[in-house]
Amino acid sequence: MFGEPPVELPQAFVFVLQPQFSMLPVVSALEPLRLANRVFGRDLYRWSAACAGAPASASNGLSIGPQIPLKQVGDSATIVVCEGLDPHINTPRSLPADLRRRARRGADIGSLCTGSCVLGRAGLLTGYRCTRHWENLHTFEEAFPGAKPSEK
């Protein structure tokens, strides 16, 4: 379950970058991990980028290639799906099924920005409290009625 103590150190995070992902949330998630390693003087966390398909270009135009293919990501890694403005267009069909398989095996899976739409499409939000981007509040609630979107 997400939030449990890591199985191994350093704890691995894999940021699954989707086409047109929003850069700011990704950087905002990475920097605290980097700083924690620096403050503690050892590697508590490690991270890599994966893409479900081709290298992903962020909404700001910066292109980031995968450091590891998504299919090679181990079960102990925490997976963070990073989306942008059009998750209904940019998500490869194989990604929700892959996330469901990983969830059944106990993988920690989260999201940034509109990545919650991908988790919803995978059926991973039913009964869970979650966040969503303010721009898609109403469409999110319609598309994923079993999710419990937070107002905070």
Side-chain angles (χ1 to χ4, degrees), residues 31-101:
E31 284 301 294
L33 302 177
R34 182 189 67 79
L35 288 170
N37 287 350
R38 183 169 184 220
V39 167
F40 285 93
R42 63 189 185 113
D43 287 343
L44 299 173
Y45 307 102
R46 62 184 164 86
W47 50 89
S48 57
C51 300
S57 290
S59 59
N60 63 10
L62 184 64
S63 185
I64 297 177
Q67 295 170 298
I68 183 171
L70 184 56
K71 60 186 169 196
Q72 291 181 11
V73 172
D75 288 340
S76 63
T78 297
I79 296 171
V80 183
V81 178
C82 308
E83 265 290 356
L85 296 177
D86 295 311
H88 56 286
I89 295 172
N90 293 323
T91 304
R93 288 184 186 195
S94 61
L95 184 56
D98 183 41
L99 295 173
R100 275 193 300 278
R101 275 192 303 280

Side-chain angles (χ1 to χ4, degrees), residues 80-148:
V80 183
V81 178
C82 308
E83 265 290 356
L85 296 177
D86 295 311
H88 56 286
I89 295 172
N90 293 323
T91 304
R93 288 184 186 195
S94 61
L95 184 56
D98 183 41
L99 295 173
R100 275 193 300 278
R101 275 192 303 280
R102 291 171 183 280
R104 282 193 301 269
R105 293 192 308 248
D108 288 340
I109 301 172
S111 65
L112 296 172
C113 198
T114 57
S116 56
C117 293
V118 178
L119 300 187
R121 210 167 311 133
L124 301 179
L125 296 180
T126 302
Y128 286 96
R129 188 168 172 240
C130 61
T131 59
R132 80 294 174 243
H133 195 277
W134 63 270
E135 286 182 320
N136 68 355
L137 168 64
H138 300 295
T139 56
F140 184 90
E141 290 174 340
E142 289 174 13
F144 312 112
K148 300 177 181 176

Side-chain angles (χ1 to χ4, degrees), residues 10-32:
Q11 183 177 358
F13 284 82
V14 177
F15 293 85
V16 180
L17 306 176
Q18 296 292 83
Q20 298 299 302
F21 71 94
S22 296
M23 182 70 74
L24 185 58
V26 175
V27 172
S28 296
L30 282 171
E31 284 301 294

